[in-house]
Amino acid sequence: MFFSHQKEVQKEVSRKQISIINREDQERLKELTERYRLDETKQRIETVAKSDIVILAVKPKDVPEVLQTWGHLFSEDQMLLSVAAGISTSLLEQHVAGKMAVIRVMPNTSCAVGQSATAICPGSHVSPEQLETARLIFRSIGSVIVVDESLMDAVTGLSGSGPAYVYYLAESLEAAGISAGLSPETSRALTVQTLLGASQMLLKTGKAAEELRREVTSPGGTTMAGLEVLDQYQLDEAIKKAVLRAKARSVEMGQQIAITF
């Protein structure tokens, strides 16, 4: 759990405003404290009562225990940002103080390089100013989009789990390049740059993926020959099913955890 002391929306939070709690992994807590040069005296439970913003960053299965321990300590003056997959804002609101502002957040692992695709949705008691504060916080690790909560499980299936699908594709492309005679190093370099270049084309041209695909696919050419194989194996349907299954699993997790409260 991360606690940030912030009275107003700011472009940058100072180290003195940040406190971290990690109940089980003290080595990790020490590593983060040293890496970001945080005040060691503030990395303790007592700081939660003074925190304006609380980021709940635990595994979904641990949320009931965390809120049973901490929920009654929160106040309506604080804001809770939850990155726990599948846990609805309404469920969180039931286990915190009064009308505490709760915002559900779904980033992805690309946040490690400042390129997360993050979706957020506000709960029942979130003001426009609080929502903007959440946007500012998560904009520091990538792009942020606000969605209706009914779509958060879909977000989890698409962008939350999405990096793993892309890595799976990268693995397959690298292996295919090696099978075609390239060295592992060359195959990796070409794969990484191809994925990067294709992403930049989508981003910078503003064109739909279908349009870009058609532009690079000449009738009777090499790309068409490869795409015919992908169509034969119904790659598009497999990807669709993967996203929908991940979405369904997010729903299942939320339902399972709701029962444990």
Side-chain angles (χ1 to χ4, degrees), residues 46-65:
E46 291 79 5
T47 57
V48 68
K50 300 178 182 179
S51 302
D52 301 303
I53 301 170
V54 181
I55 300 181
L56 182 62
V58 301
K59 295 179 180 179
K61 68 179 182 62
D62 294 325
V63 170
E65 181 181 355

Side-chain angles (χ1 to χ4, degrees), residues 75-96:
S75 73
E76 293 185 2
D77 295 329
Q78 296 172 294
M79 177 167 63
L80 179 66
L81 307 179
S82 172
V83 298
I87 312 299
S88 69
T89 57
S90 60
L91 183 59
L92 294 169
E93 289 169 346
Q94 293 173 29
H95 298 277
V96 296

Side-chain angles (χ1 to χ4, degrees), residues 23 37 43 66 78-79 87 116 119 140 149 158 164 170 184 190 203 215-216 242:
R23 185 186 63 181
R37 292 181 289 163
Q43 315 315 320
V66 170
Q78 296 172 294
M79 177 167 63
I87 312 299
S116 176
S140 67
E149 183 154 24
L158 177 61
L190 291 173
L203 182 65
E215 287 180 358
V216 77

Side-chain angles (χ1 to χ4, degrees), residues 68-196:
Q68 286 165 7
T69 302
W70 291 95
H72 69 283
L73 298 176
F74 297 147
S75 73
E76 293 185 2
D77 295 329
Q78 296 172 294
M79 177 167 63
L80 179 66
L81 307 179
S82 172
V83 298
I87 312 299
S88 69
T89 57
S90 60
L91 183 59
L92 294 169
E93 289 169 346
Q94 293 173 29
H95 298 277
V96 296
K99 295 183 178 181
M100 182 182 187
V102 175
I103 296 179
R104 183 174 168 186
V105 184
M106 177 48 62
N108 62 30
T109 57
S110 298
C111 64
V113 293
Q115 294 295 329
S116 176
T118 301
I120 64 176
C121 68
S124 303
H125 313 299
V126 178
S127 69
E129 293 76 19
Q130 289 170 321
L131 185 60
E132 181 59 21
T133 296
R135 287 168 64 101
L136 283 172
I137 290 173
F138 287 94
R139 206 176 291 157
S140 67
I141 58 171
S143 64
V144 179
I145 184 170
V146 179
V147 301
D148 186 83
E149 183 154 24
S150 63
L151 300 174
M152 283 298 279
D153 292 312
V155 167
T156 301
L158 177 61
S159 59
S161 300
Y165 311 150
V166 176
Y167 301 146
Y168 198 124
L169 174 61
E171 287 181 70
S172 300
L173 286 172
E174 286 185 41
I178 293 171
S179 295
L182 299 174
S183 70
E185 296 76 17
T186 298
S187 187
R188 174 178 171 78
L190 291 173
T191 294
V192 171
Q193 185 57 43
T194 297
L195 292 173
L196 177 62

